[in-house]
Amino acid sequence: MRAVIVCCLAVLSLGGCGKKTDQTVSDADVQQAGEDSGKETGKANKSLTDQGSAYLEQGEFDEAISCFEQAAAEKENTEESYRGIGIAKMGREDYEGALEAFDQALKEAGAEAGTLEYDICYYKASCMVRLGRLNDALELYNNLAAYKTELKTYVGRGAVYAKMGNMDMAREDFDRVISKDSKNYEQYIEIFRILDSEGRKDIGQEYLKQALTIDKDKDKNNLEKGKIYYYLEQYDKARSELEKIKGTDAQVTLYLAKTYEKLGDAAYAQTLYREYLEDDSSDGNIYNMIAVSQMNAGDYQEALSTLQEGIEKAEYGKQNLFRNEIAVYEYLLDFDTALEKMEVYLASWPEDEEAAREYIFLQSRSK
């Protein structure tokens, strides 16, 4: 078991790092990391790692890094502290820095590799993918598969193969996952999303169609079937399934909103998004969806209000809110405010090259 840590450390040292080519670590991953690390943050006397985890869950990455670095310096839960630093740096799109932190976390590991060490390795593989180090990520997944046959290992490795364009090997891993977890709708959806992101929606939809055979009882699993039909772009069928259980679950409301938006009823979709936020206001992505719809309709002041509400209330997924707030100010021709907002944005996300180029443009337009 200890060998997996050695393998992870060895892979880290291979080659140089390239520039990121795709999106940041998902907000859900970062939020979940904060929740997993911070189960005890409600205690009156929080440890530094608890404080860091609380900041991490809220998307306050600079504050999280500060707490975790102090914890590491004071030898408090050092492996968890360096893991926290790595996740926070992923949130800031500093994947090279994140890898360094994860490397240090594994150096602090005990003699036996356990759940925490595997978790760190999965985050490392995610960094490598985002840095374009696909061969390194593949080697790491191969090492993980050799020591622990978790389904997420094969999903991750399949995603790397798909990104490499090796669909035969990707499908072999995905088929292995489905054969062992054939009743899990979310597993099919995750595989679809991976393939769709690599331009192979056609293959991804083959997996979705398999999911429709899980339960043929029409009175069950309406939410899951509705989601599958949504991703199959069969929006009328998605609406039919979801309407049967409208009001029973926040996820039903969310997917109904997405479905009605695809069906061209943006106004009703926004109403449903707002209903969803009444149940869960933590996800900044929902505010962003509403704002984008408002922007598309030319309602920039309304979009600005929505974005600022999300910035105030959301616990995670704030990066796109800040970025689109700047865009709205540009649409409103308020380049001075856009420039001020961009300076604040770049202080938090300095790795965003597109934003850095936009900053130069704003400097030329500002008074």
Side-chain angles (χ1 to χ4, degrees):
M1 290 287 287
R2 175 66 181 172
V4 72
I5 299 177
V6 177
C7 290
C8 288
L9 290 170
V11 170
L12 179 68
S13 65
L14 296 173
C17 291
K19 195 57 190 170
K20 76 178 184 71
T21 57
D22 63 351
Q23 64 185 13
T24 65
V25 62
S26 75
D27 297 312
D29 285 343
V30 174
Q31 183 204 25
Q32 187 62 51
E35 292 173 351
D36 290 345
S37 299
K39 298 296 185 183
E40 303 298 320
T41 56
K43 291 183 177 181
N45 296 318
K46 295 179 182 178
S47 68
L48 287 166
T49 48
D50 286 338
Q51 293 177 48
S53 297
Y55 280 126
L56 189 63
E57 186 176 346
Q58 296 164 12
E60 303 291 343
F61 301 125
D62 290 340
E63 291 82 356
I65 290 170
S66 178
C67 286
F68 286 128
E69 286 181 339
Q70 187 177 347
E74 296 181 11
K75 305 299 181 183
E76 177 193 307
N77 301 322
T78 51
E79 183 179 1
E80 293 89 339
S81 295
Y82 283 113
R83 171 185 177 271
I85 292 169
I87 295 169
K89 288 190 174 184
M90 289 181 76
R92 291 193 59 185
E93 301 185 27
D94 179 7
Y95 300 117
E96 294 182 40
L99 281 174
E100 292 175 2
F102 292 138
D103 184 27
Q104 187 60 42
L106 290 171
K107 289 180 181 177
E108 299 289 338
E112 295 291 332
T115 301
L116 182 61
E117 288 71 41
Y118 283 101
D119 176 76
I120 292 168
C121 288
Y122 287 124
Y123 276 111
K124 283 182 56 176
S126 181
C127 286
M128 290 170 177
V129 170
R130 285 163 171 80
L131 288 164
R133 291 172 53 178
L134 300 181
N135 288 327
D136 292 349
L138 181 60
E139 182 174 352
L140 179 48
Y141 277 121
N142 285 338
N143 290 330
L144 288 167
Y147 289 95
K148 191 175 184 180
T149 55
E150 289 189 320
L151 294 184
K152 65 189 297 184
T153 301
Y154 296 112
V155 173
R157 190 172 68 178
V160 173
Y161 278 129
K163 193 169 284 292
M164 288 177 159
N166 189 339
M167 288 299 161
D168 289 338
M169 293 301 292
R171 295 187 73 159
E172 183 175 320
D173 273 342
F174 294 149
D175 288 345
R176 179 185 286 111
V177 171
I178 293 301
S179 70
K180 295 180 180 297
D181 196 17
S182 62
K183 301 295 185 181
N184 186 346
Y185 283 94
E186 292 301 324
Q187 201 74 267
Y188 292 92
I189 291 174
E190 182 178 7
I191 291 170
F192 164 77
R193 285 172 171 167
I194 290 168
L195 292 165
D196 184 31
S197 70
E198 299 306 322
R200 295 310 306 265
K201 180 185 293 186
D202 55 330
I203 298 177
Q205 289 186 336
E206 291 178 20
Y207 286 95
L208 294 179
K209 291 173 183 177
Q210 290 181 46
L212 290 175
T213 67
I214 292 176
D215 185 350
K216 295 183 179 180
D217 185 341
K218 294 182 179 180
D219 295 326
K220 294 182 179 179
N221 300 319
N222 300 106
L223 172 57
E224 290 82 359
K225 291 177 181 177
K227 290 163 71 173
I228 295 295
Y229 281 126
Y230 173 83
Y231 289 112
L232 282 170
E233 301 177 9
Q234 297 179 25
Y235 302 119
D236 286 326
K237 289 185 177 180
R239 176 177 57 187
S240 177
E241 292 291 340
L242 296 168
E243 284 286 359
K244 294 174 185 176
I245 50 172
K246 182 180 177 182
T248 62
D249 186 277
Q251 282 289 304
V252 175
T253 304
L254 176 59
Y255 274 88
L256 265 176
K258 291 181 176 182
T259 298
Y260 275 105
E261 188 166 13
K262 291 294 187 181
L263 288 169
D265 193 344
Y268 186 49
Q270 287 190 32
T271 298
L272 291 170
Y273 282 132
R274 284 291 178 184
E275 285 183 19
Y276 175 80
L277 288 173
E278 290 177 6
D279 291 315
D280 182 5
S281 62
S282 64
D283 189 351
N285 294 306
I286 306 303
Y287 293 97
N288 198 60
M289 289 178 186
I290 297 172
V292 169
S293 179
Q294 291 167 332
M295 290 168 68
N296 290 336
D299 297 329
Y300 299 117
Q301 289 292 351
E302 288 295 323
L304 183 60
S305 177
T306 299
L307 291 165
Q308 292 175 342
E309 180 186 357
I311 289 169
E312 178 185 354
K313 295 181 179 180
E315 296 176 8
Y316 61 97
K318 289 189 176 184
Q319 183 176 3
N320 284 332
L321 296 175
F322 283 114
R323 191 69 182 85
N324 279 329
E325 182 189 28
I326 295 167
V328 170
Y329 278 117
E330 291 185 52
Y331 279 117
L332 294 172
L333 304 181
D334 187 350
F335 297 109
D336 290 338
T337 303
L339 179 62
E340 292 174 7
K341 296 285 185 178
M342 182 64 81
E343 288 171 347
V344 174
Y345 173 88
L346 286 172
S348 296
W349 290 281
E351 301 297 317
D352 190 335
E353 292 185 344
E354 182 179 349
R357 290 191 294 271
E358 187 70 12
Y359 178 58
I360 295 172
F361 164 75
L362 288 172
Q363 286 178 311
S364 71
R365 299 300 301 269
S366 181
K367 296 178 182 178

